[in-house]
Amino acid sequence: MTQSSTVKGKFISFEGIDGAGKSTHIAFVAEWLGAHGKTVVSSREPGGTTVGEKLRDLLLHEKMHLETEALLMFASRREHIAQVIAPGLARGDWVVSDRFTDASFAYQGGGRGLDRSKMEALEQWVHPTLQPNLTLLFDVPLAVARARLDATRTLDKFEQEQADFFEACRTEYLRRAAQFPERIVVVDSTQSIDAIRAQLAAILEKLL
Ligand code: TYD
């Protein structure tokens, strides 16, 4: 844990390729924590602030240079940390974020091929000491994720990418899970919703 000693709350991020099913489980985790007496702040990236939501709109719908995309992801993150994450943790709240920096490594790094050292430099700049206490990585084979996506909605810029893009994102997520085994827990998202909920509850119990 690398948060400063003034931090009282806990920070949980949710990750996975599009269609992995993380959205279904974020609500469950927030409810579970609330039922266990925690004040929960639910947020997302890119987004989570007024500026961040404007950046999200650009990021999800406009074509742009790869490095512009990475910089805007971290700009959104900087604002999110300043306005939501740091104040929430300082109050002692539990901050639950739909994606954080692992997504930049997976999508801009793995998926788009931006050199990992660029992300590491941005991470050092934007949050040199802050890391989630726990990252839940929802993992499914690509075919399952695609089928879920196609069934549910109109696809945004990232969701319209081809299979090899998502395969590379998934590979990078799993590489990071192996690199940071104490922080990142891989959840097999092909399991039933009930089985995943039971697993999540067991993981959360240990964090309380
Ligand atoms: P997502 O979190 O999947 O939200 P929704 O469920 O509403 O579609 O969408 C955010 C998209 O942004 C997703 O495709 C991944 C992408 N993304 C990055 O490429 N890099 C990042 O650093 C972050 C936070 C997200």
Side-chain angles (χ1 to χ4, degrees):
M1 228 273 286
T2 47
Q3 289 171 3
S4 80
S5 55
T6 54
V7 166
K8 291 184 288 168
K10 291 211 165 127
F11 177 24
I12 305 177
S13 62
F14 290 73
E15 301 285 356
I17 58 171
D18 291 272
K22 71 184 161 49
S23 318
T24 314
H25 299 295
I26 294 174
F28 169 77
V29 167
E31 242 173 67
W32 191 96
L33 290 170
H36 287 75
K38 305 298 175 194
T39 302
V40 179
V41 176
S42 278
S43 195
R44 68 173 179 181
E45 289 198 359
T49 64
T50 306
V51 167
E53 289 298 324
K54 290 191 174 177
L55 292 174
R56 180 186 178 92
D57 190 39
L58 286 172
L59 281 160
L60 266 53
H61 302 110
E62 300 292 339
K63 284 214 165 93
M64 60 185 74
H65 189 281
L66 164 58
E67 293 189 353
T68 310
E69 188 177 278
L71 288 163
L72 290 183
M73 289 292 179
F74 274 92
S76 166
R77 185 160 300 132
R78 185 68 194 91
E79 193 67 14
H80 193 212
I81 292 167
Q83 303 285 344
V84 177
I85 300 175
L89 294 176
R91 283 193 304 269
D93 296 347
W94 284 53
V95 179
V96 165
S97 184
D98 186 345
R99 300 192 187 280
F100 192 61
T101 293
D102 295 305
S104 297
F105 279 90
Y107 280 76
Q108 281 65 54
R112 298 231 195 274
L114 183 61
D115 200 286
R116 199 183 293 156
S117 63
K118 296 273 170 63
M119 249 78 61
E120 286 165 352
L122 288 169
E123 182 180 35
Q124 270 306 307
W125 183 7
V126 168
H127 57 100
T129 57
L130 175 76
Q131 288 294 339
N133 297 91
L134 169 70
T135 296
L136 295 166
L137 171 56
F138 293 88
D139 183 58
V140 280
L142 211 57
V144 177
R146 283 318 300 180
R148 286 182 184 165
L149 268 189
D150 292 343
T152 51
R153 52 170 138 194
T154 314
L155 304 183
D156 68 36
K157 187 181 86 178
F158 291 100
E159 292 163 347
Q160 287 170 24
E161 288 289 344
Q162 300 303 308
D164 54 350
F165 174 87
F166 288 108
E167 204 65 82
C169 292
R170 185 183 181 209
T171 300
E172 176 62 8
Y173 268 136
L174 292 173
R175 189 195 66 74
R176 285 182 68 75
Q179 188 182 357
F180 303 109
E182 271 135 53
R183 173 173 65 85
I184 304 179
V185 177
V186 181
V187 178
D188 172 2
S189 204
T190 61
Q191 301 175 91
S192 71
I193 290 182
D194 282 347
I196 292 174
R197 287 182 173 176
Q199 187 183 348
L200 293 176
I203 295 166
L204 293 170
E205 286 281 0
K206 287 195 233 150
L207 255 197
L208 286 181

